[in-house]
Amino acid sequence: MAKYEPVLLKNVGVEGVRNLKVYRERGGYAAAEKALKNHTPAQIVEIVKESGLRGRGGAGFPAGVKWSFLPEKRQVTYLCVNADESEPGTFCNRVLMEEDPHQLLEGIIISAYATQTTTAYIYMRVEFHEQFHILQTALDEAYAAGLFGKNLFGTGYNLECFIHRGAGAYVCGEETGLIESLEGKRGWPRIKPPFPAIEGLFRRPTVVNNVETLCCVPHIIERGAAWFKSIGTEGSSGPKLYTISGPVKRPGCYEAPLGITCRDLIFGDDYGQGMIDGRKVKGCIPGGLSVGVLTESELDCKLDFDEVRKYGLLGLGTAGAIVIPQDADIREVLANVARFYSHESCGQCTQCREGTNWMYKIAMRIALGAGRIADLDLICEVTRKMGMMPGLSICGLPDGAAYPIRTIVEKFRDEFEQHIRRQEPGRVEQVLKRLNPAIYELPIIGQRGSHTYHRAG
Amino acid sequence: MAWQAVDRIHPVIDKDAPQILSDAVREKIRSFFPRYETKRAALLPALHVVQDALGHVNHQAMKEIAEVLEIPPSDVLDTMSFYTHFWDHAKGEKVVVVCRSLSCQLMGSDAVLQAAREELKIEEHGTTPDGKYSLVTEECLAACDHAPCVLVNEKMHKRVKPDQISKLLKDAKNDEITFPRSSLFDKPAKKATADPADLPRTSDVREMKES
């Protein structure tokens, strides 16, 4: 196979590409000019639809189709750019904004024109300090050059663009949570429908797109939908940024056509280059924490939007791989994953608020060496009783919690059982007594601690 | 153990207290209004501006933000309490954030956190007595390729080893970013205001006595 030529990352490492002048010299903003001068908004939506560009934020919803949901007659439309990248293991948006901010801005101009957006907001997580200053500087520069504001490229189209900084909440990466947060409220996801395309930010039609999705748009306009479709696999077209972290030799962000295997990503010469210190792979979380885990024997899974589901995973997610080495304690991994979701659950839906905390408690119990075999079944049962798939929650966060926890417990069950069998006798009682002394001082009625008052005689 | 309860009898805010938001801060908050359709949408930027200026956002500041945005103070508290970034009690000049998510944990963030704890002699969410540092942990900072990572105010420190923590925390310039700053948001205030009204949250919780 010929060496893959990067598209999204083509400007990475180029000296001074954060400056507008250098970016323009490398052919920047030509696609935006072409789109605004030669195409109507409807034509661009058609091109993007035809290219099969699917949202890179996790759900994989076709971007062009999303745009076409906007109502015909509308005065004001908003475009929200989702730069609230908080999925553990994912940092491709950070790289895009840090290395090539103008590419994102160009994507915003074209997408905003296609959706006839009046104002675009970039919702950026607050932990991106350096990235904020880079992007804000780039945006100021673009404003000064007349790329934003009034009468873009002399076409009479007006567009405002602002960066809105978040304040540290994972759930604000959910599109309606993001909208609520932008309105100055708690980042509680909204009940859908109405979908944001009908009633979103300030109750106006709104499009929410991921940074990486928008960065693909200029290239589609420049080179055409057919070119875009020729990259990747059937149903998952285009280049994708894969990120890899954990104990590999070369952790980082790599661009590849959709559909490379997880093994390639870890061991490939162009990507991770194998493990450090000759460590072995125990498993790999291939697409951001929420999708679930692959065992060592399943590493040949193709990472595209559809193939991963055959391995019991939620989806491709954000394609941020975390490699778990052989010497890592799987109980610690489970406890870490469970803690993340119990910390980030927004607290709106009962089964998520309580369920994630239960799972964290169970996982902690197992990690402390006080697990029981029944705990493994219990934790799996909790995961099946939460999320959008049984239809119980407003947003997808509990699904994202259920999949990794369930797949870790199910795929590494032998290991958990070994650990539990090796526990010293009496450890369970000892730890539980420390965690919750009250229940051990209850009177025992019918072999169970009872809350009913026990009367002697 | 004595019962502790939140004091709801005495007012949280002194009505006669002078304003703590300066005119410049108010003007900066107002400069965000044209960006949004509603004034409430400027709340998150306003909280950032106030936290950058005062170090934290106490009840008095919340009330004054509410005045500027023309919303009830309870709405400000409602929104603010959702986000982990905002402090309602005095924090250190520099906040040390240690990432504890999976990638960082696999690369040894536990040892880094332990080293930071020992170096600063404080627990998580604690502040050193001299008010220089606060130590917190956070979920993924989106720098997994540089795990384990530590954020000091605005500066991300990458691939931190436990034995580097001591040197890192002694460095006076450990929070300076190398990129040119945008003037939209100020640098976090160097000297957090030491006002008696800015006592930590525990001061709201008073021991209930029989009196």
Side-chain angles (χ1 to χ4, degrees):
Chain A
M1 200 177 106
K3 195 157 165 60
Y4 176 74
E5 184 209 347
V7 179
L8 298 171
L9 297 181
K10 70 172 181 183
N11 286 335
V12 171
V14 175
E15 187 70 32
V17 79
R18 287 186 196 127
N19 294 333
L20 181 61
K21 192 167 157 277
V22 180
Y23 182 75
R24 279 202 137 153
E25 277 167 11
R26 292 179 59 83
Y29 290 108
E33 195 167 353
K34 182 179 163 192
L36 265 68
K37 282 188 174 159
N38 303 350
H39 296 286
T40 64
Q43 278 172 340
I44 298 174
V45 175
E46 270 317 304
I47 293 171
V48 173
K49 247 192 210 173
E50 204 185 307
S51 73
L53 171 66
R54 292 174 72 169
R56 279 9 181 180
F61 195 80
V65 178
K66 203 180 205 175
W67 295 351
S68 61
F69 287 155
L70 290 165
E72 286 283 310
K73 281 183 187 156
R74 54 184 198 271
Q75 298 284 314
V76 182
T77 315
Y78 290 113
L79 172 71
C80 298
V81 184
N82 190 342
D84 191 71
E85 186 173 52
S86 2
E87 184 77 34
T90 313
F91 45 89
C92 46
N93 293 358
R94 192 201 83 213
V95 173
L96 283 172
M97 288 186 285
E98 191 174 283
E99 302 286 347
D100 202 0
H102 283 289
Q103 181 179 232
L104 171 63
L105 297 178
E106 188 175 359
I108 291 172
I109 293 175
I110 300 170
S111 313
Y113 175 68
T115 52
Q116 285 297 296
T117 293
T118 39
T119 311
Y121 295 104
I122 305 171
Y123 188 96
M124 194 183 233
R125 66 178 302 193
V126 72
E127 285 84 358
F128 283 165
H129 293 287
E130 293 173 356
Q131 292 75 13
F132 166 75
H133 292 300
I134 291 167
L135 194 59
Q136 183 65 46
T137 313
L139 185 60
D140 292 343
E141 216 178 359
Y143 257 108
L147 294 165
F148 286 95
K150 296 249 180 299
N151 195 12
L152 268 63
F153 299 106
T155 54
Y157 172 63
N158 307 330
L159 172 67
E160 297 288 331
C161 181
F162 303 113
I163 302 178
H164 185 93
R165 300 185 81 184
Y170 172 69
V171 78
C172 291
E174 205 273 347
E175 56 179 6
T176 51
L178 185 150
I179 287 169
E180 285 280 303
S181 180
L182 244 169
E183 288 183 5
K185 301 172 188 162
R186 326 189 104 210
W188 276 357
R190 291 176 184 170
I191 295 173
K192 289 168 272 186
F195 286 92
I198 309 296
E199 198 178 294
L201 184 61
F202 306 121
R203 308 196 65 183
R204 311 264 195 200
T206 305
V207 176
V208 185
N209 275 135
N210 183 266
V211 167
E212 199 187 333
T213 318
L214 294 180
C215 285
C216 289
V217 175
H219 303 289
I220 296 173
I221 299 300
E222 202 181 320
R223 304 197 198 181
W227 162 83
F228 194 80
K229 223 170 175 178
S230 69
I231 304 172
T233 57
E234 184 69 37
S236 308
S237 51
K240 175 85 187 83
L241 296 185
Y242 290 91
T243 58
I244 182 159
S245 58
V248 290
K249 279 189 187 141
R250 235 173 40 141
C253 178
Y254 302 103
E255 186 175 340
L258 273 161
I260 64 164
T261 67
C262 193
R263 197 179 292 280
D264 271 351
L265 192 58
I266 300 173
F267 295 102
D269 282 341
D270 294 341
Y271 312 112
Q273 290 186 351
M275 305 286 283
I276 48 169
D277 309 331
R279 287 157 98 175
K280 289 205 165 59
V281 181
K282 176 181 277 187
C284 177
I285 291 174
L289 201 59
S290 298
V291 300
V293 71
L294 293 172
T295 60
E296 209 279 327
S297 56
E298 292 172 335
L299 286 185
D300 291 313
C301 168
K302 264 190 187 173
L303 298 178
D304 67 22
F305 287 107
D306 305 310
E307 184 85 6
V308 284
R309 287 178 216 262
K310 293 176 190 160
Y311 292 83
L313 304 184
L314 180 62
L316 179 64
T318 50
I322 304 174
V323 184
I324 304 167
Q326 189 66 49
D327 50 355
D329 189 341
I330 196 74
R331 297 175 297 176
E332 297 278 323
V333 173
L334 180 70
N336 188 304
V337 173
R339 194 208 47 230
F340 176 77
Y341 293 103
S342 82
H343 182 258
E344 297 295 352
S345 173
C346 78
Q348 254 195 125
C349 312
T350 316
Q351 32 81 36
C352 173
R353 182 183 64 230
E354 304 297 326
T356 49
N357 276 307
W358 278 353
M359 293 196 292
Y360 178 41
K361 282 178 193 165
I362 298 169
M364 267 319 276
R365 208 154 64 201
I366 298 172
L368 284 170
R372 295 168 291 200
I373 302 284
D375 282 342
L376 301 176
D377 298 318
L378 181 63
I379 205 165
C380 287
E381 195 191 326
V382 176
T383 60
R384 289 206 179 80
K385 297 277 162 63
M386 58 196 291
M388 268 173 119
M389 306 215 171
L392 296 167
S393 66
I394 294 173
C395 80
L397 191 144
D399 298 279
Y403 271 77
I405 291 175
R406 184 162 70 230
T407 48
I408 287 174
V409 173
E410 280 176 355
K411 292 184 179 176
F412 294 97
R413 188 164 176 127
D414 293 347
E415 211 177 320
F416 279 109
E417 289 188 2
Q418 272 175 27
H419 278 298
I420 291 171
R421 288 209 190 87
R422 254 184 273 152
Q423 282 164 195
E424 47 190 283
R427 174 83 174 159
V428 177
E429 201 178 323
Q430 204 186 328
V431 170
L432 292 186
K433 252 184 184 165
R434 203 175 72 221
L435 290 178
N436 193 353
I439 58 166
Y440 284 86
E441 284 151 23
L442 293 174
I444 307 294
I445 298 173
Q447 296 178 330
R448 297 178 66 180
S450 171
H451 286 276
T452 50
Y453 283 105
H454 180 75
R455 280 194 192 138
Chain B
M1 191 188 118
W3 282 103
Q4 289 199 323
V6 178
D7 181 2
R8 299 196 194 281
I9 299 165
H10 302 95
V12 183
I13 304 168
D14 183 5
K15 276 187 181 156
D16 307 320
Q19 289 190 347
I20 58 170
L21 296 193
S22 65
D23 289 340
V25 169
R26 282 160 192 264
E27 207 39 59
K28 189 141 198 173
I29 294 173
R30 286 199 190 94
S31 73
F32 283 95
F33 286 171
R35 296 174 162 224
Y36 308 103
E37 258 186 49
T38 62
K39 283 186 178 172
R40 179 164 182 173
L43 180 51
L44 246 55
L47 289 167
H48 281 299
V49 167
V50 173
Q51 177 152 307
D52 287 345
L54 301 178
H56 67 284
V57 189
N58 62 8
H59 282 108
Q60 175 76 27
M62 283 182 221
K63 193 184 130 209
E64 288 177 28
I65 292 171
E67 277 164 19
V68 178
L69 299 184
E70 295 168 24
I71 54 174
S74 57
D75 280 359
V76 179
L77 178 63
D78 174 58
T79 301
M80 202 189 110
S81 56
F82 184 79
Y83 299 97
T84 50
H85 180 71
F86 300 121
W87 291 65
D88 64 353
H89 57 279
K91 64 174 167 57
E93 254 175 49
K94 292 174 186 173
V95 182
V96 181
V97 183
V98 181
C99 178
R100 58 175 186 182
S101 269
L102 190 57
S103 298
C104 284
Q105 194 188 25
L106 291 171
M107 300 302 283
S109 69
D110 288 350
V112 172
L113 178 62
Q114 188 57 31
R117 258 192 216 136
E118 280 165 14
E119 179 67 29
L120 299 171
K121 297 187 184 63
I122 46 173
E123 283 303 305
E124 272 170 62
H125 299 281
T127 303
T128 51
D130 61 356
K132 271 230 151 57
Y133 283 108
S134 291
L135 178 67
V136 293
T137 52
E138 238 182 85
E139 301 300 348
C140 195
L141 297 173
C144 312
D145 47 345
H146 306 300
C149 51
V150 174
L151 191 68
V152 181
N153 268 6
E154 294 192 329
K155 170 78 183 164
M156 179 77 81
H157 294 273
K158 296 162 179 175
R159 302 195 189 197
V160 181
K161 297 203 171 61
D163 53 354
Q164 295 169 345
I165 282 283
S166 170
K167 195 178 157 219
L168 192 155
L169 293 178
K170 284 193 180 103
D171 181 9
K173 290 185 175 175
N174 57 9
D175 63 335
E176 277 178 21
I177 57 173
T178 45
F179 302 106
R181 289 184 61 86
S182 151
S183 60
L184 197 63
F185 287 100
D186 293 328
K187 232 176 162 174
K190 253 293 174 252
K191 190 79 196 124
T193 45
D195 196 303
D198 303 344
L199 290 169
R201 191 189 295 183
T202 43
S203 72
D204 293 340
V205 182
R206 292 179 200 171
E207 231 170 83
M208 295 290 270
K209 285 176 188 159
E210 286 93 280
S211 62

